[in-house]
Amino acid sequence: TAVDMPEEVVWRRDIYREIDLNEEENAGLYDPVEPQGKRLNLFTYVFKLALNGYIPVYEYNLDGNEVLEPSAKVDMKTILDNYHIFYEEQGGKLKVENSDIPSAEVKLYYLKESAYFDQANSSFHIKPIAFCPVMLREDDFGGEAAKYPLFWVKYSEVEPFLSRQSVKTSDVNDAAVMNLDDYFTLNKYKGTIYKTANRLGKTLAQIAGNDSTKLSEEQKRIEAELEAFRNNIFGDKAKRDSIDSLASL
């Protein structure tokens, strides 16, 4: 069951990740590329929810920082026009055929999560806060695909709908499925860190410059910090184990 993050916690770290759908752990979010009956991939499902007014979407700012407030809401017609997605207007409503939804091009997500310690019940959680589908479009010269972040989705607003769609979790067992809400709540996705909340608002790439080794080391350092905090909430585990072994003598 999803846990609401308390407004006041004693420790919290906001992390931004790139969720590459080519990674095995994330591939289920891309499947199926086109709808198969009631089965939709994550982007198609979110796109349809937003198009029909069930959830709002928020503007992706050039600085990459999300603003999940009413003032930052963006109209779906603006999204369709900006990214040249074909649509029709019927009776004041927007209609996009399944074949015109650019689902195949959305091969990446930006995801913001908060790792926090809840002092009320002495527990550690990682809570998804928002995600942004990113289109990858290659130019006519076959160069590296350009990234087009479309919009931010506030996780708490789409969460009630995610339990209605399933995601495959295995390539060798088609019966291995879970609903999308469980997938995110249980942190089954895999993503590289590209930014943490910092006072200068810099991404890790800006901090590392053009040094890929430094970037990788910085990502590993942050992951290690999170793991160390999770493992040592109740004190150093190695010391506890040694004390317990002495107590049993």
Side-chain angles (χ1 to χ4, degrees):
T1 304
V3 178
D4 291 330
M5 185 170 65
E7 292 185 6
E8 295 185 8
V9 293
V10 294
W11 186 91
R12 191 185 89 195
R13 190 83 184 270
D14 291 339
I15 303 288
Y16 294 80
R17 297 183 182 274
E18 277 194 3
I19 309 297
D20 184 351
L21 301 193
N22 289 311
E23 295 281 351
E24 182 180 351
E25 293 88 343
N26 309 322
L29 300 179
Y30 191 68
D31 175 65
V33 179
E34 291 193 7
Q36 296 177 359
K38 293 183 178 180
R39 285 195 64 233
L40 310 172
N41 69 15
L42 177 61
F43 176 70
T44 302
Y45 189 46
V46 167
F47 184 91
K48 287 178 174 285
L49 288 173
L51 193 68
N52 291 301
Y54 290 107
I55 61 170
V57 293
Y58 301 87
E59 184 179 8
Y60 181 87
N61 297 318
L62 294 178
D63 62 6
N65 293 320
E66 77 294 341
V67 179
L68 306 175
E69 301 292 339
S71 60
K73 288 181 182 179
V74 59
D75 191 89
M76 277 300 290
K77 186 175 181 180
T78 302
I79 298 292
L80 300 176
D81 289 335
N82 287 349
Y83 297 99
H84 310 291
I85 300 170
F86 182 77
Y87 65 93
E88 296 178 348
E89 289 191 69
Q90 297 179 354
K93 293 185 177 181
L94 301 174
K95 182 180 179 182
V96 179
E97 297 293 339
N98 287 338
S99 57
D100 293 317
I101 299 174
S103 175
E105 295 179 293
V106 176
K107 298 179 180 178
L108 188 76
Y109 284 87
Y110 294 148
L111 175 87
K112 179 184 180 182
E113 63 184 19
S114 283
Y116 68 94
F117 176 65
D118 184 357
Q119 66 272 24
N121 54 20
S122 299
S123 58
F124 179 87
H125 301 279
I126 298 178
K127 173 74 174 176
I129 302 300
F131 60 81
C132 170
V134 182
M135 283 197 312
L136 300 182
R137 283 184 171 174
E138 297 180 357
D139 59 29
D140 296 333
F141 302 101
E144 185 177 351
K147 296 178 181 178
Y148 295 95
L150 298 177
F151 47 75
W152 283 104
V153 177
K154 190 174 182 179
Y155 190 80
S156 61
E157 291 175 340
V158 75
E159 189 173 23
F161 300 96
L162 295 182
S163 60
R164 305 177 189 177
Q165 282 292 323
S166 62
V167 55
K168 287 186 178 181
T169 57
S170 172
D171 284 333
V172 296
N173 180 6
D174 290 338
V177 297
M178 66 171 57
N179 69 58
L180 281 167
D181 186 30
D182 286 344
Y183 175 84
F184 282 106
T185 300
L186 298 174
N187 312 122
K188 294 296 186 181
Y189 51 85
K190 177 183 178 182
T192 56
I193 298 173
Y194 71 89
K195 187 173 74 167
T196 61
N198 59 76
R199 288 170 292 182
L200 296 177
K202 289 185 176 182
T203 64
L204 296 190
Q206 290 172 325
I207 294 172
N210 295 321
D211 190 337
S212 59
T213 301
K214 185 177 179 181
L215 174 61
S216 178
E217 289 175 349
E218 190 68 10
Q219 290 168 331
K220 291 177 181 177
R221 181 186 66 78
I222 296 168
E223 294 282 15
E225 285 180 353
L226 290 174
E227 192 63 23
F229 185 86
R230 182 204 294 264
N231 292 334
N232 297 314
I233 289 174
F234 302 107
D236 187 287
K237 186 177 186 300
K239 291 181 180 178
R240 294 203 314 273
D241 289 346
S242 63
I243 292 172
D244 290 342
S245 64
L246 288 173
S248 65
L249 295 176

